[in-house]
């Protein structure tokens, strides 16, 4: 069978056993999305919503976020739009929302931890995402999940927002898919159990690498130790994909490794379903994947 088949203007990629591989985009806003679509993105695997919160004076309102998410969903015209809830803290801060000073911000109050500590802030965003889901194919992605308690707490807030919208008579996608990032080693180790509680995984190799190897992704002095191809990281990745498939959920990768030519053959052999990469890397990634699939035959 052919690795490549023609479908409209964009060639879809298939494995030898006929599974379609999606090449999607990581975006930070609408401008990125335009570029991604021009470059042939088959969806959005990661919308980093923190950029809606940064470089401004005050928090974006529910209405403002809703409009951005709706526009993105409409531009995608049925293709999947994976919206990650706010991942602030770590290296990213907000001028109008002072965070406590921490000795180790990457090990501190970041992403889902911050949102769970400030449910009002979290709800504004979840309501905006849910409302936009009436206008397209939206999926929700929770970042930095390290424990079942956090996942359950996040899902509980989401359920609360859904019943609020029900009471208000606001439409949303009742079958909206909810997934989690696998970017903390504990989540990768327990992927089998997590897979039973979400609709999809997305592997964040940038954080998974830094946390597995105890090597700060921003620190030049340890950049040689920061290796997403380290066998320990690769083993966590393959275990995560296997666990996903054993539980019949798809597995995406949205970390930088997804666009790394050296990893293409391994990730395909592991069975990765979706590669989400920066808009500028889409064409090259498609080439690597097609080439890796061709060489296997
Ligand atoms: C990752 O950690 O790999 C990821 C995709 O998320 P971010 O780079 O935004 O932390
Ligand atoms: Mg991350």
């Amino acid at each position: 069978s052919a690795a490549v088949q023609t479908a409209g203007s964009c060639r879809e990629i298939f494995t030898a056993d006929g599974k379609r591989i999606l090449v999607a985009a990581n975006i930070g806003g609408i401008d990125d999305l335009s570029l991604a679509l021009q470059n042939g993105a088959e969806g959005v695997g990661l919308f980093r919503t923190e950029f809606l919160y940064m470089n401004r004076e005050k928090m974006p309102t529910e209405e403002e976020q809703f409009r951005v998410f709706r526009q993105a969903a409409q531009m995608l015209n049925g293709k999947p739009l994976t919206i990650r809830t706010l991942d602030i803290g770590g290296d990213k801060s907000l001028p109008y929302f002072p965070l406590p000073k921490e000795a180790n911000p990457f090990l501190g109050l970041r992403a889902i931890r911050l949102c769970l500590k400030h449910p009002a802030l979290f709800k504004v965003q979840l309501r905006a995402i849910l409302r936009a889901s009436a206008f397209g194919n939206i999926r929700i992605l929770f970042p930095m999940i390290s424990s079942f308690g956090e996942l359950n707490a996040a899902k509980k807030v989401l359920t609360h927002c859904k019943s609020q919208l029900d009471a208000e008579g606001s439409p949303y996608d009742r079958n909206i898919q909810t997934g989690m990032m696998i970017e903390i080693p504990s989540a990768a180790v327990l992927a089998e159990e997590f897979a039973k509680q979400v609709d999809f995984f997305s592997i964040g190799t940038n954080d998974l690498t830094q946390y597995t190897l105890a090597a700060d992704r921003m620190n030049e002095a340890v950049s040689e130790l920061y290796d997403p191809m380290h066998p320990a990281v690769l083993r966590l990745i393959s275990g995560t994909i296997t666990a996903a498939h054993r539980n019949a959920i798809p597995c995406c990768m949205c970390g930088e490794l997804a666009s790394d030519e050296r990893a293409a053959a391994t990730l395909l052999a592991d069975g990765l379903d979706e590669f989400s990469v920066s808009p500028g890397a889409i064409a090259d990634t498609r080439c690597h994947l097609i080439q890796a699939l061709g060489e296997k035959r």
Side-chain angles (χ1 to χ4, degrees):
S1 64
V4 184
Q5 293 178 14
T6 306
S9 57
C10 190
R11 299 182 310 168
E12 295 178 353
I13 303 174
F14 288 90
T15 63
D17 45 9
K19 185 179 82 170
R20 185 171 167 203
I21 303 291
L22 229 61
V23 181
N26 296 346
I27 64 167
I30 297 294
D31 290 349
D32 283 348
L33 179 53
S34 305
L35 185 62
L37 286 170
Q38 278 168 34
N39 291 352
E42 296 170 288
V44 167
L46 171 63
F47 188 152
R48 288 188 169 100
T49 58
E50 42 279 9
F51 294 107
L52 299 179
Y53 289 72
M54 292 162 75
N55 301 315
R56 47 183 290 144
E57 242 79 285
K58 55 182 203 296
M59 204 71 89
T61 63
E62 175 186 322
E63 196 59 27
E64 201 176 337
Q65 295 189 63
F66 161 68
R67 284 169 195 272
V68 174
F69 300 150
R70 180 181 59 183
Q71 188 184 349
Q74 287 171 335
M75 285 168 74
L76 280 156
N77 194 21
K79 296 187 185 100
L81 169 60
T82 312
I83 303 180
R84 185 176 70 183
T85 61
L86 185 60
D87 182 357
I88 214 76
D91 61 321
K92 299 191 196 92
S93 61
L94 303 176
Y96 51 85
F97 194 80
L99 298 171
K101 269 246 168 298
E102 296 176 302
N104 295 295
F106 274 114
L107 303 181
L109 204 57
R110 184 187 159 192
I112 200 74
R113 301 169 177 187
L114 191 85
C115 286
L116 291 174
K117 207 175 168 77
H118 299 277
L121 170 136
F122 196 27
K123 283 178 195 163
V124 165
Q125 183 168 55
L126 290 175
R127 284 178 53 97
I129 297 171
L130 284 170
R131 285 175 55 205
S133 72
F135 298 88
N137 182 7
I138 289 181
R139 315 197 292 181
I140 297 178
L141 178 60
F142 295 128
M144 290 285 294
I145 298 288
S146 69
S147 69
F148 300 112
E150 287 170 310
L151 178 62
N152 289 335
K155 284 164 80 173
K156 220 170 138 188
V157 182
L158 181 63
T159 304
H160 171 83
C161 292
K162 287 180 180 172
S163 38
Q164 264 188 344
L165 293 177
D166 283 334
E168 293 164 19
S170 297
Y172 62 90
D173 176 4
R174 289 176 175 283
N175 296 315
I176 191 163
Q177 305 275 291
T178 306
M180 62 181 275
M181 297 278 298
I182 301 287
E183 55 182 343
I184 296 184
S186 60
V189 169
L190 298 179
E192 185 73 45
E193 286 76 14
F194 276 113
K196 296 178 168 58
Q197 302 188 28
V198 291
D199 299 314
F200 66 96
F201 282 159
S202 188
I203 304 175
T205 55
N206 309 336
D207 280 311
L208 188 60
T209 302
Q210 97 166 333
Y211 293 131
T212 302
L213 303 175
D216 183 345
R217 61 193 265 193
M218 322 287 288
N219 185 344
E220 290 273 342
V222 293
S223 62
E224 252 167 64
L225 295 174
Y226 177 91
D227 175 15
M229 297 284 284
H230 188 292
V233 180
L234 293 180
R235 192 176 297 179
L236 289 176
I237 291 170
S238 73
T240 297
I241 299 168
T242 302
H245 292 166
R246 257 202 305 261
N247 291 280
I249 65 167
C251 189
C252 174
M253 177 177 287
C254 60
E256 287 299 311
L257 192 64
S259 58
D260 191 328
E261 183 170 11
R262 300 169 304 158
T266 305
L267 297 176
L268 287 166
D270 286 343
L272 191 67
D273 302 290
E274 181 177 338
F275 295 69
S276 192
V277 305
S278 64
I282 292 170
D284 280 353
T285 301
R286 296 177 64 83
C287 285
H288 304 156
L289 294 176
I290 290 165
Q291 199 172 357
L293 286 167
E295 278 164 8
K296 233 180 69 194
R297 232 141 299 164

